[in-house]
Amino acid sequence: MIMTMEPTAMTMQTAQASVRLTVGQALVRYLAALQAEVTGPDGETEILPYCAGVFAIFGHGNVTGLGAALEAEKDRLPTLRAHSEQGMANAAVAFAKAHFRQRIMAVTSSIGPGATNMLTSAALAHVARLPLLLLPGDVFVSRLPDPVLQQLESFEQGELSVNDCFRPVTRYFDRITAPEQLLVALPRAIQVMTDPAQCGPVCLALPQDVQTFACDWPLDFFQPARIRLRRPPADAVELAAAGALLRSAKRPLIVAGGGVLYSQAWDALRAFAQTHGVPVAESQAGKGSLAWDLPLNLGAIGVTGSPAANRAAGECDLVLAVGTRLQDFTTGSHALYARARLLSLNVQPLDAGKKRGQQLVADARTGLEQLSAELAGWRADPDWTAGCREQAAAWVARVTQLTTRPPENALPYEAEVIGAVRESAADAGLDSARNDIVVCAAGTLPAELHKLWRSALPGNYHMDYAYSCMGYEVAGGLGVKLARPEREVIVIVGDGSYMMLNSELATSVLLGRKIIVVLLDNRGFGCIERLQTRTGGASFNNLLDACVPEGGTRSAIDYALHGRALGADAVHVRSVEELRREMRRARAATQSQLLVIDTTHQRTTDDGGAWWEVAVPQVSPRPGVAAAQRDYLEAKTRQRR
């Protein structure tokens, strides 16, 4: 996206007029004035505030400056109270993701730990190419009261504060040490967040005295241009070369990444696949680019991929990577389709040029439309297309089997939980694939959801698997609900991740934004436990019951009681069938819900999957480690270099 200014008579007449405001007041007034053309999943476009609100936790570093300004403008720019700085920033990231990067929320904290608590969220947004406006308080620019409470003192650099930690995890950083700097820095921050290639988090550090400084501001500063989506087209030479490469292929495969969703290119992707007979596989970030039951949708690809997609990846002669970072989970650590030629369509040149693939730098939607026109009359080998359709249909049937078969006489695992969640919608006369938005981030669940969750609409699968941030889930669910209040937002989370950050469940109650949290309790970090033992290591420091030292006490956390303490309706179910019944009740409720079910970490969906490079010790007394090391070295010979 980019801001474009169309001069008007009023703009020219008021160019010399000014208004006296503090830095905090000017910043808030500017954010409140920003408008954007926002297109929803249904294709309808409307004009909405670009910044939907500000999550704020006040302290001495931002309460009298920015806080007072927010209070004065609360009717135009809502302020939301959260319970943790990381949680509110995670929610803001999720809000932007749910809006396909077309809208943002800002977050402000005091200096010190309030600011550094948001570093993880900044890194998450940076990795996932998502906009986030960070407004941490900072130390006095005058330095007269130094060291103030919570100030980090550098022995070498007098201007350093903890906010400088944001520099490597943001796309743009500035410290506002004089009021006039905001005239340049604030529009620049918006420009970065709305640029399709540079999009990411930005940080404007606000010294607490500067927030209160007054200045005469040009009135036209508060008449910013409407934000419109910019779609860079492909270079003619690159486009012709990409077309020639595809025409030479007989067995092409499209890998759809998150850029397909950010660009809202799902219609262009479907048209391209159907017109040219090219099957599509989806990365974690790209899942939902096509409806789950589209005949050419092979499903998830990579380490957490389906057998249909991964088989095609091994047999294809060309991969058209659209809007993907080619992360190791998508590529099987670059061994899954190492022998295929690579063509990358991406708006970001860094991503388009990875692994020495042929690049086509363009917006995903525009690029696919241009490429389809370039390929007029060309189709993939009919046998390849037909074979992939058969594989896709077989996988659809297998997913039904995996998620609806009766549970074994043992603790359930993720597939059975996913099935119960989905079938509870059918019980209520709803289509889960169209109605539900699932939110997750870490552990075993991303693998099972990537394979088994069914999404018929873009955005119904909301996964942070770029940073895979444990603790994202509950706060992320709140952010999604703020963005999509009309949808059922279902957070599916493991006990380990829930324990890391759950306080925004209380915030969802406070704000009246109902989410359903389904908590799978396998008594520890079960995913890493499996990785540890499957690479020959001893079970160590992952499962709660194995971590009790002499004199310690076994963990007996009552998650349902905890959920009720946070204000949610909560229940601990004893079976998959009871979960299904409670999900029906939860769907009808108006308040946030927590449903807890005991599960096992020892069972997973064996179908599909691909190698993932996890380094194994070269020397170990354990025979299992030595065997794993041999397998590791053999697998590395298949990597694309």
Side-chain angles (χ1 to χ4, degrees), residues 57 59-62 85 109-116 136-140 148-152 161-163 206-208 211:
I57 293 180
H60 68 92
N62 66 344
E85 291 88 358
S109 75
S110 187
I111 69 171
T116 54
D138 212 324
V139 296
F140 282 78
V148 298
L149 179 66
Q150 299 178 326
Q151 179 176 348
L152 176 146
S161 84
V162 295
N163 287 333
L206 303 172
Q208 53 190 301
Q211 293 178 40

Side-chain angles (χ1 to χ4, degrees), residues 578-596:
E578 186 180 351
L579 172 64
R580 183 169 170 173
R581 291 196 301 271
E582 287 296 328
M583 274 296 306
R584 292 199 297 270
R585 178 196 57 77
R587 289 178 183 278
T590 58
Q591 184 163 285
S592 288
Q593 306 287 306
L594 176 66
L595 280 58
V596 185

Side-chain angles (χ1 to χ4, degrees), residues 4-15 220 223-225 228:
T4 56
M5 176 64 80
E6 299 172 358
T8 64
M10 186 177 73
T11 301
M12 292 183 284
Q13 290 170 2
T14 61
D220 64 355
Q223 299 168 6
R228 297 183 178 92

Side-chain angles (χ1 to χ4, degrees), residues 156 164 236 337 389 594 613:
E156 296 84 21
D164 288 276
Y337 35 88
R389 285 177 182 267
L594 176 66
E613 181 168 7

Side-chain angles (χ1 to χ4, degrees), residues 520-538:
L520 284 66
D521 183 5
N522 63 17
R523 311 253 332 133
F525 302 141
C527 176
I528 298 302
E529 167 77 9
R530 284 197 313 278
L531 178 63
Q532 185 177 55
T533 57
R534 288 180 182 179
T535 53

